[in-house]
Amino acid sequence: MLCERFRDVLACSSTHGILAVDIPIGLLDEAQPGGRTCDQEARRLLSHRASSVFSPPSRRILTAKHYAEVRGEGLSRQAFGILPKVREVDRIMTLRLQNRVYEAHPELAFCRMAGEPMRFNKKTMQGRHERLCALKTLPHAWVRRIVYDLEMHWPPFPRAQVAPDDLFDAGVLAYTAFRIARKKASCVPSDPPRDRRGLRMEIWY
């Protein structure tokens, strides 16, 4: 099932289930060099894969419609591209909801799984193979089903909606949610600061 909106994801998930999402939760009011503390620490852990962690927009510019409006804010075009999703999650997120919806990062999760950062970009054939091999090391039956689906190039969503690397990210974040639920996951920083609304600014893996 492909959900287009964050509300749809919440609606089709258990009210007690854990979700790991690759969308920033907890935002700075004003941009600062390097982004949030969790973004900076995640980059240090990922070393040569650090560029996969971008600084999210500050809450002040969430309503921007054009990239020209955020020039000088230190926001990359990639980060601006997901601004509507960041805005949607930020509008919905509450302190209570953050008890079951956690910000996570696929590259950190693969790093944890393999014991070191991935060597290749996830959009390359080498990167996909590397991540598939990492997922194959997991013993859980439901993870093996994910691996089977990936190898069979399922589900058949249009590439414009779901790129192949999105499926690998979804698989490893499902495992991250599993680890969070069993209190075996880690987050950066270990003592996360909170934003103006009280939301924790942290990244789990």
Side-chain angles (χ1 to χ4, degrees):
M1 179 179 181
L2 181 62
C3 297
E4 294 187 6
R5 303 295 180 188
F6 184 55
R7 288 189 182 279
D8 298 333
V9 175
L10 295 177
C12 69
S13 63
S14 166
T15 56
H16 301 291
I18 299 296
L19 298 176
V21 299
D22 184 18
I23 292 290
I25 296 174
L27 302 174
L28 299 170
D29 285 336
E30 299 286 341
Q32 67 180 32
R36 305 168 299 173
T37 301
C38 56
D39 305 316
Q40 297 174 40
E41 292 197 14
R43 291 189 195 102
R44 282 195 286 270
L45 289 174
L46 289 174
S47 58
H48 63 277
R49 300 294 307 153
S51 62
S52 65
V53 181
F54 59 85
S55 297
S58 64
R59 188 170 283 116
R60 183 174 65 83
I61 63 171
L62 284 183
T63 57
K65 301 297 183 183
H66 305 285
Y67 188 67
E69 298 177 55
V70 300
R71 290 190 187 280
E73 295 288 339
L75 192 68
S76 68
R77 286 192 176 274
Q78 181 185 13
F80 181 77
I82 68 163
L83 193 145
K85 295 184 182 297
V86 177
R87 181 170 58 238
E88 180 190 11
V89 171
D90 187 62
R91 286 175 176 172
I92 295 173
M93 190 58 56
T94 63
L95 294 177
R96 182 176 181 180
L97 189 55
Q98 201 178 18
N99 289 329
R100 74 179 187 92
V101 179
Y102 295 80
E103 178 181 350
H105 196 285
E107 288 301 295
L108 271 183
F110 275 118
C111 178
R112 176 70 175 266
M113 189 182 296
E116 61 182 1
M118 297 285 99
R119 293 178 298 162
F120 303 104
N121 187 296
K122 66 180 183 179
K123 296 185 181 298
T124 66
M125 289 301 296
Q126 299 100 316
R128 294 172 195 167
H129 177 72
E130 183 179 33
R131 286 159 180 76
L132 184 62
C133 288
L135 287 170
K136 283 183 175 181
T137 65
L138 302 179
H140 312 287
W142 63 270
V143 177
R144 289 199 294 272
R145 178 53 195 259
I146 291 175
V147 170
Y148 173 80
D149 290 342
L150 288 170
E151 290 183 316
M152 297 299 291
H153 305 292
W154 183 93
F157 298 129
R159 189 183 181 90
Q161 292 180 297
V162 181
D165 53 280
D166 291 331
L167 300 178
F168 289 96
D169 287 352
V172 77
L173 288 191
Y175 182 63
T176 299
F178 177 81
R179 288 177 56 82
I180 293 171
R182 282 153 181 74
K183 302 187 184 305
K184 293 184 178 181
S186 303
C187 78
V188 288
S190 57
D191 184 19
R194 294 178 180 266
D195 70 4
R196 177 171 50 82
R197 292 173 48 200
L199 298 173
R200 299 185 306 276
M201 294 184 284
E202 60 191 11
I203 300 177
W204 286 82
Y205 61 100

